[in-house]
Amino acid sequence: MSTLQTLSLLLALSVALHIGSAAAFTAWRADTHPAPALLIGGSATGTACALYLTAVSAYH
């Protein structure tokens, strides 16, 4: 793996975690219990990461 690929992967993971954190916080502030809010955040993180990896694999 090249340095550029490693940095791109780290950037994608960072963005996915930020999206998941924002989704979990938004769900929690909308009077959702903490457990479902964490599941919503985890789902958003997984979706964002999967979309990025799908786009990268389609690009190559």
Side-chain angles (χ1 to χ4, degrees), residues 21-52:
S21 297
F25 183 73
T26 303
W28 178 64
R29 293 293 291 165
D31 292 331
T32 304
H33 293 290
L38 286 174
L39 289 173
I40 290 168
S43 298
T45 302
T47 301
C49 197
L51 286 173
Y52 176 77

